[in-house]
Amino acid sequence: MIRSRRNEILVAYALLAPFILIYAVLFVYPSLKLFVLAFTNAPLIGSGDWVGFKNFQRLWSDRLFWTSIWNTIYFVILSVIPSTVLGLVVAIAVNRLTGWLQSLVLAAFFLPYILPVSVVYRIWSWMFDKDFGIAQTVITPFTGGEHVSVFRTLPLFMPAVAFVTVWWFVGFNALLFIAGLRNISREIYEAAELDGAGSWTTFRRITWPLIWPITVLVMTIQLILQLKIFDQVYLFAANVRTDATMVMVQYILKQAFQMNKGGLGAAASMVLFILIVLVSVLQFQLLRARGER
C-alpha cells in the first residue's frame, strides 16, 4: 500500500516536472532578472552598476511616465466596464434564441475576437477615415457637418481606441456569460414565472446573483488585459503625437528598446506589474465580497 502510494506520488511529480521546468525558465527566472535589473543602470543587453532606487526616483520625476499611467488608467475606465456590460447584454439576448439562429448570432459577435490586431486596425482605420469612412456619417452631425480625423484628434483618440477594443472583446465576454447562464437551472425560472415575477425582477433576483462569479471573472480578465494595452494604441497612434497618447507598455518599449535604458525599463515594468497585481486583486476581492453579501 505504501509502495503504491509512493509510486503515485512519483508519477505525479514526473507529470508536473515539465510544466514546473518550463514555468521556472520562462517566468520565474526572467522575473528575478527583471527585479535585479530594475536596481541597476544596465543597458538592454549587458551588465550595469547597482544604483538602488534611482531608477524609481527618475520615474517619479518623469512627466512622460505619469502621462503613460494616466492614459492606461483612462483607457481601462473607458473599456473594462462597457465591454463587461455589453457582453452580458449580448449573452442574455443570444441565450433567448434557439437553434441555428442562436449559433449564427453568437458567431457574428465572436468573430471579431479571433481577428488579429492588425486586421482590426485596418478595418477601423477605414471606418473612421476622414474622407470616405462610413463612421463619419455618425460623427458629422456632432461636428457641424465637418469630417474629423478621429485618430489624429487627441481628445477623441483614446475613446475611439476604447470603442474599437470593446467591439473586439465583447464576443469573448458574451461567450463566458453564456456559459454561466446555461448553468442556471431552468426550474428556477419556471418557479419565478409561477410566482408572477416579471423580466426585470427575474434578472435582478435570479440571473444577476447567479452569474455574479462570471461577472467577477470577466471584469478581472478584462482589467488585466487592458492594463497591458499596447497593440491598438501603438497602431492607431502611428500618425499622432505618441508622447501624448503613450501607455505604460509603450513607455517601457521606449526606455528599454529605443533608448537602451534597460534598468529604467525594468523599473517601469515592475511598477506596471505591481499595479496589475494590486488593482486586479483588489477588484476581485471587492467584487467577490459584494457577491457573498
Side-chain angles (χ1 to χ4, degrees):
M1 186 69 180
I2 297 176
R3 178 174 297 178
S4 176
R5 177 65 177 172
R6 185 179 301 170
N7 290 336
E8 290 179 359
I9 294 174
L10 290 175
V11 171
Y13 278 125
L15 294 174
L16 286 173
F19 169 78
I20 295 174
L21 179 62
I22 294 173
Y23 184 78
V25 172
L26 298 181
F27 180 78
V28 176
Y29 176 73
S31 298
L32 293 175
K33 291 290 290 184
L34 175 73
F35 179 80
V36 174
L37 187 64
F39 295 93
T40 69
N41 61 358
L44 181 61
I45 299 176
S47 59
D49 298 325
W50 184 269
V51 295
F53 288 93
K54 287 186 178 180
N55 286 327
F56 296 94
Q57 293 172 356
R58 290 177 62 184
L59 292 177
W60 183 268
S61 59
D62 188 352
R63 179 191 58 82
L64 186 58
F65 174 72
W66 290 107
T67 299
S68 69
I69 288 182
W70 161 246
N71 286 336
T72 302
I73 295 174
Y74 182 43
F75 179 82
V76 166
I77 294 171
L78 291 173
S79 60
V80 171
I81 295 178
S83 67
T84 303
V85 173
L86 284 176
L88 177 58
V89 171
V90 170
I92 292 174
V94 171
N95 200 50
R96 293 176 180 272
L97 303 175
T98 57
W100 65 268
L101 183 60
Q102 183 185 65
S103 301
L104 181 64
V105 174
L106 180 59
F109 278 101
F110 187 73
L111 181 62
Y113 180 70
I114 65 176
L115 297 176
V117 65
S118 57
V119 176
V120 173
Y121 158 71
R122 182 56 63 188
I123 290 172
W124 285 99
S125 62
W126 286 340
M127 293 283 287
F128 282 112
D129 187 88
K130 183 179 179 180
D131 298 320
F132 55 83
I134 299 175
Q136 291 294 330
T137 58
V138 180
I139 298 171
T140 49
F142 300 96
T143 60
E146 296 183 2
H147 287 204
V148 177
S149 182
V150 175
F151 296 111
R152 295 186 182 183
T153 305
L154 195 56
L156 298 178
F157 178 83
M158 203 59 75
V161 176
F163 172 81
V164 173
T165 302
V166 171
W167 172 84
W168 193 18
F169 279 95
V170 69
F172 172 73
N173 294 344
L175 195 64
L176 294 179
F177 277 120
I178 288 174
L181 290 171
R182 289 180 176 174
N183 284 329
I184 301 176
S185 174
R186 186 63 196 169
E187 296 175 355
I188 301 176
Y189 289 113
E190 292 174 354
E193 187 177 350
L194 291 175
D195 290 338
S199 299
W200 172 246
T201 302
T202 301
F203 172 78
R204 187 165 56 91
R205 296 293 186 181
I206 298 175
T207 305
W208 183 243
L210 291 179
I211 64 168
W212 184 252
I214 303 298
T215 306
V216 175
L217 174 66
V218 170
M219 291 196 68
T220 302
I221 291 174
Q222 287 299 314
L223 183 65
I224 294 173
L225 288 174
Q226 307 317 334
L227 280 172
K228 299 187 295 181
I229 177 67
F230 170 74
D231 299 356
Q232 304 95 291
V233 174
Y234 180 80
L235 290 172
F236 284 115
N239 297 316
V240 298
R241 293 183 298 149
T242 54
D243 285 356
T245 60
M246 183 171 292
V247 291
M248 291 194 69
V249 177
Q250 271 186 294
Y251 181 85
I252 295 168
L253 173 70
K254 179 176 181 179
Q255 298 299 329
F257 291 88
Q258 296 177 356
M259 302 185 68
N260 198 31
K261 297 178 180 179
L264 192 61
S269 299
M270 279 191 60
V271 173
L272 177 59
F273 174 76
I274 293 171
L275 179 64
I276 291 174
V277 170
L278 289 178
V279 174
S280 59
V281 169
L282 179 62
Q283 176 199 250
F284 182 82
Q285 293 299 330
L286 289 175
L287 292 177
R288 191 178 68 170
R290 181 189 180 283
E292 290 175 353
R293 291 202 302 269

